[in-house]
Amino acid sequence: MFDISGPAEETEANSFEEVEEMLSNKVKAEPGFDAQKIEWKLQLAIQALPEKQRQVFNLRYYDEMPYEKMSAILHTSEGALKASYHHAAKKIEEFLKNNA
């Protein structure tokens, strides 16, 4: 499977676009890659998240919204949003590993 969060130091050092490209290349390189199956499992994992984590994950991962803008919209500190995203990514990663 693949790791959507990556090592903390690598994720913080790279831009969102660099991490996304790295993950995309890693996933595409795997033999027997089935994009529809992965997307379906990803959606199941996202739906299993608590509402706040689901919101933050969707805004950051799909909409590529900066934490500053999310903070203004959700009336939550940037630090709390980063923590929510981190926890969401870990839960999704665990879901994908356990439902391979």
Side-chain angles (χ1 to χ4, degrees), residues 5 10 12-15 34 40 43-44 50 55 57 64 67 71-75 80 82 85 88 90 92:
S5 62
E10 185 174 310
E12 292 175 7
N14 296 322
S15 71
D34 183 348
W40 178 73
Q43 290 305 315
L44 288 177
Q55 286 178 325
F57 186 83
E64 300 180 11
Y67 288 113
S71 178
I73 293 170
L74 299 174
H75 307 290
K82 289 176 183 180
Y85 183 83
K90 288 293 183 188
I92 291 169

mmCIF file of all heavy atoms in Angstrom, residues 5 10 12-15 34 40 43-44 50 55 57 64 67 71-75 80 82 85 88 90 92:
data_model
loop_
_atom_site.group_PDB
_atom_site.id
_atom_site.type_symbol
_atom_site.label_atom_id
_atom_site.label_comp_id
_atom_site.label_asym_id
_atom_site.label_seq_id
_atom_site.Cartn_x
_atom_site.Cartn_y
_atom_site.Cartn_z
ATOM 1 N N SER A 5 0.881 10.013 4.692
ATOM 2 C CA SER A 5 1.424 11.046 5.563
ATOM 3 C C SER A 5 2.933 11.198 5.397
ATOM 4 O O SER A 5 3.449 12.291 5.500
ATOM 5 C CB SER A 5 1.107 10.744 7.026
ATOM 6 O OG SER A 5 1.709 9.530 7.413
ATOM 7 N N GLU A 10 9.983 14.697 6.523
ATOM 8 C CA GLU A 10 9.918 14.807 5.067
ATOM 9 C C GLU A 10 8.688 15.611 4.652
ATOM 10 O O GLU A 10 8.764 16.451 3.784
ATOM 11 C CB GLU A 10 9.874 13.406 4.454
ATOM 12 C CG GLU A 10 9.929 13.414 2.943
ATOM 13 C CD GLU A 10 10.025 12.010 2.389
ATOM 14 O OE1 GLU A 10 10.887 11.234 2.852
ATOM 15 O OE2 GLU A 10 9.226 11.698 1.514
ATOM 16 N N GLU A 12 7.051 17.909 6.389
ATOM 17 C CA GLU A 12 7.194 19.311 6.744
ATOM 18 C C GLU A 12 8.193 20.022 5.838
ATOM 19 O O GLU A 12 8.049 21.201 5.561
ATOM 20 C CB GLU A 12 7.611 19.431 8.207
ATOM 21 C CG GLU A 12 6.518 19.001 9.160
ATOM 22 C CD GLU A 12 6.965 18.994 10.603
ATOM 23 O OE1 GLU A 12 8.080 19.435 10.896
ATOM 24 O OE2 GLU A 12 6.187 18.522 11.433
ATOM 25 N N ALA A 13 9.204 19.309 5.377
ATOM 26 C CA ALA A 13 10.246 19.917 4.568
ATOM 27 C C ALA A 13 9.791 20.164 3.135
ATOM 28 O O ALA A 13 10.299 21.040 2.465
ATOM 29 C CB ALA A 13 11.496 19.040 4.566
ATOM 30 N N ASN A 14 8.829 19.374 2.658
ATOM 31 C CA ASN A 14 8.371 19.479 1.285
ATOM 32 C C ASN A 14 7.063 20.236 1.203
ATOM 33 O O ASN A 14 6.293 20.264 2.139
ATOM 34 C CB ASN A 14 8.168 18.086 0.686
ATOM 35 C CG ASN A 14 9.457 17.308 0.583
ATOM 36 O OD1 ASN A 14 10.489 17.864 0.285
ATOM 37 N ND2 ASN A 14 9.385 16.029 0.823
ATOM 38 N N SER A 15 6.825 20.803 0.037
ATOM 39 C CA SER A 15 5.533 21.446 -0.180
ATOM 40 C C SER A 15 4.475 20.365 -0.371
ATOM 41 O O SER A 15 4.787 19.206 -0.643
ATOM 42 C CB SER A 15 5.592 22.332 -1.425
ATOM 43 O OG SER A 15 5.657 21.528 -2.592
ATOM 44 N N ASP A 34 -4.427 -0.533 -8.980
ATOM 45 C CA ASP A 34 -5.813 -0.339 -9.403
ATOM 46 C C ASP A 34 -6.298 0.978 -8.790
ATOM 47 O O ASP A 34 -6.694 1.025 -7.629
ATOM 48 C CB ASP A 34 -6.673 -1.517 -8.943
ATOM 49 C CG ASP A 34 -8.115 -1.433 -9.409
ATOM 50 O OD1 ASP A 34 -8.539 -0.365 -9.911
ATOM 51 O OD2 ASP A 34 -8.829 -2.438 -9.255
ATOM 52 N N TRP A 40 -11.629 4.130 -3.984
ATOM 53 C CA TRP A 40 -12.803 3.640 -3.249
ATOM 54 C C TRP A 40 -12.445 3.398 -1.784
ATOM 55 O O TRP A 40 -13.171 3.820 -0.882
ATOM 56 C CB TRP A 40 -13.322 2.360 -3.915
ATOM 57 C CG TRP A 40 -14.491 1.745 -3.215
ATOM 58 C CD1 TRP A 40 -15.780 2.204 -3.189
ATOM 59 C CD2 TRP A 40 -14.477 0.558 -2.425
ATOM 60 N NE1 TRP A 40 -16.561 1.373 -2.430
ATOM 61 C CE2 TRP A 40 -15.787 0.348 -1.953
ATOM 62 C CE3 TRP A 40 -13.479 -0.349 -2.081
ATOM 63 C CZ2 TRP A 40 -16.125 -0.732 -1.151
ATOM 64 C CZ3 TRP A 40 -13.828 -1.432 -1.279
ATOM 65 C CH2 TRP A 40 -15.138 -1.606 -0.828
ATOM 66 N N GLN A 43 -11.949 6.677 0.023
ATOM 67 C CA GLN A 43 -13.227 7.297 0.367
ATOM 68 C C GLN A 43 -13.874 6.623 1.576
ATOM 69 O O GLN A 43 -14.452 7.291 2.433
ATOM 70 C CB GLN A 43 -14.179 7.289 -0.834
ATOM 71 C CG GLN A 43 -13.752 8.223 -1.943
ATOM 72 C CD GLN A 43 -13.568 9.646 -1.461
ATOM 73 O OE1 GLN A 43 -14.373 10.188 -0.723
ATOM 74 N NE2 GLN A 43 -12.469 10.257 -1.896
ATOM 75 N N LEU A 44 -13.774 5.305 1.660
ATOM 76 C CA LEU A 44 -14.288 4.587 2.835
ATOM 77 C C LEU A 44 -13.548 5.029 4.100
ATOM 78 O O LEU A 44 -14.171 5.246 5.147
ATOM 79 C CB LEU A 44 -14.141 3.073 2.655
ATOM 80 C CG LEU A 44 -15.064 2.397 1.661
ATOM 81 C CD1 LEU A 44 -14.720 0.910 1.552
ATOM 82 C CD2 LEU A 44 -16.533 2.569 2.064
ATOM 83 N N PRO A 50 -13.830 11.026 12.188
ATOM 84 C CA PRO A 50 -14.720 11.965 12.880
ATOM 85 C C PRO A 50 -14.945 13.190 11.979
ATOM 86 O O PRO A 50 -14.084 13.541 11.157
ATOM 87 C CB PRO A 50 -13.939 12.356 14.131
ATOM 88 C CG PRO A 50 -12.946 11.259 14.329
ATOM 89 C CD PRO A 50 -12.621 10.745 12.954
ATOM 90 N N GLN A 55 -13.473 16.975 7.625
ATOM 91 C CA GLN A 55 -13.507 18.313 7.026
ATOM 92 C C GLN A 55 -12.096 18.812 6.728
ATOM 93 O O GLN A 55 -11.812 19.289 5.629
ATOM 94 C CB GLN A 55 -14.179 19.320 7.964
ATOM 95 C CG GLN A 55 -15.658 19.214 8.064
ATOM 96 C CD GLN A 55 -16.188 20.234 9.064
ATOM 97 O OE1 GLN A 55 -15.546 20.541 10.073
ATOM 98 N NE2 GLN A 55 -17.358 20.754 8.784
ATOM 99 N N PHE A 57 -9.259 17.128 6.513
ATOM 100 C CA PHE A 57 -8.577 16.318 5.518
ATOM 101 C C PHE A 57 -9.041 16.688 4.106
ATOM 102 O O PHE A 57 -8.228 16.881 3.211
ATOM 103 C CB PHE A 57 -8.792 14.820 5.766
ATOM 104 C CG PHE A 57 -7.983 13.971 4.830
ATOM 105 C CD1 PHE A 57 -6.651 13.688 5.107
ATOM 106 C CD2 PHE A 57 -8.534 13.484 3.661
ATOM 107 C CE1 PHE A 57 -5.887 12.927 4.228
ATOM 108 C CE2 PHE A 57 -7.786 12.724 2.778
ATOM 109 C CZ PHE A 57 -6.454 12.445 3.064
ATOM 110 N N GLU A 64 -6.627 21.559 -1.361
ATOM 111 C CA GLU A 64 -5.302 22.162 -1.182
ATOM 112 C C GLU A 64 -5.383 23.530 -0.496
ATOM 113 O O GLU A 64 -4.626 24.449 -0.793
ATOM 114 C CB GLU A 64 -4.575 22.269 -2.524
ATOM 115 C CG GLU A 64 -4.365 20.937 -3.195
ATOM 116 C CD GLU A 64 -3.651 21.029 -4.532
ATOM 117 O OE1 GLU A 64 -3.129 22.109 -4.871
ATOM 118 O OE2 GLU A 64 -3.614 20.012 -5.236
ATOM 119 N N TYR A 67 -3.671 26.220 5.651
ATOM 120 C CA TYR A 67 -4.172 26.173 7.026
ATOM 121 C C TYR A 67 -4.687 27.539 7.475
ATOM 122 O O TYR A 67 -5.664 27.613 8.219
ATOM 123 C CB TYR A 67 -3.084 25.674 7.977
ATOM 124 C CG TYR A 67 -2.805 24.206 7.823
ATOM 125 C CD1 TYR A 67 -1.585 23.761 7.334
ATOM 126 C CD2 TYR A 67 -3.754 23.249 8.158
ATOM 127 C CE1 TYR A 67 -1.315 22.403 7.190
ATOM 128 C CE2 TYR A 67 -3.498 21.893 8.018
ATOM 129 C CZ TYR A 67 -2.279 21.486 7.535
ATOM 130 O OH TYR A 67 -2.028 20.144 7.388
ATOM 131 N N SER A 71 -8.319 28.053 8.970
ATOM 132 C CA SER A 71 -8.459 28.593 10.321
ATOM 133 C C SER A 71 -9.543 29.669 10.375
ATOM 134 O O SER A 71 -10.364 29.694 11.293
ATOM 135 C CB SER A 71 -7.115 29.159 10.780
ATOM 136 O OG SER A 71 -7.222 29.733 12.056
ATOM 137 N N ALA A 72 -9.543 30.536 9.378
ATOM 138 C CA ALA A 72 -10.548 31.604 9.327
ATOM 139 C C ALA A 72 -11.953 31.043 9.096
ATOM 140 O O ALA A 72 -12.915 31.507 9.697
ATOM 141 C CB ALA A 72 -10.189 32.594 8.221
ATOM 142 N N ILE A 73 -12.058 30.045 8.255
ATOM 143 C CA ILE A 73 -13.367 29.460 7.931
ATOM 144 C C ILE A 73 -13.918 28.628 9.085
ATOM 145 O O ILE A 73 -15.099 28.735 9.428
ATOM 146 C CB ILE A 73 -13.267 28.587 6.658
ATOM 147 C CG1 ILE A 73 -12.975 29.468 5.446
ATOM 148 C CG2 ILE A 73 -14.538 27.772 6.437
ATOM 149 C CD1 ILE A 73 -12.618 28.694 4.200
ATOM 150 N N LEU A 74 -13.066 27.799 9.680
ATOM 151 C CA LEU A 74 -13.514 26.864 10.717
ATOM 152 C C LEU A 74 -13.382 27.417 12.136
ATOM 153 O O LEU A 74 -13.771 26.748 13.091
ATOM 154 C CB LEU A 74 -12.735 25.548 10.595
ATOM 155 C CG LEU A 74 -12.895 24.793 9.280
ATOM 156 C CD1 LEU A 74 -11.967 23.583 9.240
ATOM 157 C CD2 LEU A 74 -14.347 24.375 9.069
ATOM 158 N N HIS A 75 -12.814 28.631 12.260
ATOM 159 C CA HIS A 75 -12.631 29.262 13.576
ATOM 160 C C HIS A 75 -11.865 28.337 14.526
ATOM 161 O O HIS A 75 -12.267 28.106 15.662
ATOM 162 C CB HIS A 75 -13.979 29.667 14.178
ATOM 163 C CG HIS A 75 -14.797 30.514 13.271
ATOM 164 N ND1 HIS A 75 -14.469 31.812 12.957
ATOM 165 C CD2 HIS A 75 -15.921 30.225 12.562
ATOM 166 C CE1 HIS A 75 -15.359 32.296 12.124
ATOM 167 N NE2 HIS A 75 -16.252 31.356 11.849
ATOM 168 N N ALA A 80 -4.217 23.412 15.691
ATOM 169 C CA ALA A 80 -5.246 22.384 15.868
ATOM 170 C C ALA A 80 -5.611 21.747 14.531
ATOM 171 O O ALA A 80 -5.852 20.533 14.453
ATOM 172 C CB ALA A 80 -6.489 22.985 16.521
ATOM 173 N N LYS A 82 -3.599 21.453 11.913
ATOM 174 C CA LYS A 82 -2.476 20.599 11.521
ATOM 175 C C LYS A 82 -2.532 19.274 12.288
ATOM 176 O O LYS A 82 -2.280 18.213 11.710
ATOM 177 C CB LYS A 82 -1.144 21.303 11.765
ATOM 178 C CG LYS A 82 -0.897 22.443 10.794
ATOM 179 C CD LYS A 82 0.383 23.187 11.125
ATOM 180 C CE LYS A 82 0.569 24.367 10.177
ATOM 181 N NZ LYS A 82 1.796 25.119 10.470
ATOM 182 N N TYR A 85 -5.312 17.172 10.795
ATOM 183 C CA TYR A 85 -4.901 16.582 9.517
ATOM 184 C C TYR A 85 -3.961 15.405 9.751
ATOM 185 O O TYR A 85 -4.102 14.344 9.136
ATOM 186 C CB TYR A 85 -4.237 17.630 8.617
ATOM 187 C CG TYR A 85 -3.861 17.072 7.267
ATOM 188 C CD1 TYR A 85 -4.807 16.985 6.256
ATOM 189 C CD2 TYR A 85 -2.584 16.602 7.007
ATOM 190 C CE1 TYR A 85 -4.486 16.455 5.015
ATOM 191 C CE2 TYR A 85 -2.254 16.065 5.772
ATOM 192 C CZ TYR A 85 -3.214 15.998 4.785
ATOM 193 O OH TYR A 85 -2.892 15.459 3.559
ATOM 194 N N ALA A 88 -5.921 12.465 11.050
ATOM 195 C CA ALA A 88 -6.735 11.925 9.965
ATOM 196 C C ALA A 88 -5.883 11.096 9.020
ATOM 197 O O ALA A 88 -6.260 9.971 8.641
ATOM 198 C CB ALA A 88 -7.428 13.061 9.202
ATOM 199 N N LYS A 90 -3.083 9.575 9.633
ATOM 200 C CA LYS A 90 -2.671 8.338 10.314
ATOM 201 C C LYS A 90 -3.813 7.322 10.339
ATOM 202 O O LYS A 90 -3.603 6.130 10.118
ATOM 203 C CB LYS A 90 -2.191 8.630 11.737
ATOM 204 C CG LYS A 90 -0.856 9.315 11.792
ATOM 205 C CD LYS A 90 0.215 8.376 11.281
ATOM 206 C CE LYS A 90 1.583 9.022 11.398
ATOM 207 N NZ LYS A 90 2.609 8.219 10.753
ATOM 208 N N ILE A 92 -6.345 7.143 8.239
ATOM 209 C CA ILE A 92 -6.554 6.680 6.866
ATOM 210 C C ILE A 92 -5.491 5.653 6.498
ATOM 211 O O ILE A 92 -5.802 4.603 5.928
ATOM 212 C CB ILE A 92 -6.565 7.864 5.888
ATOM 213 C CG1 ILE A 92 -7.825 8.707 6.120
ATOM 214 C CG2 ILE A 92 -6.495 7.379 4.438
ATOM 215 C CD1 ILE A 92 -7.821 10.044 5.391
#
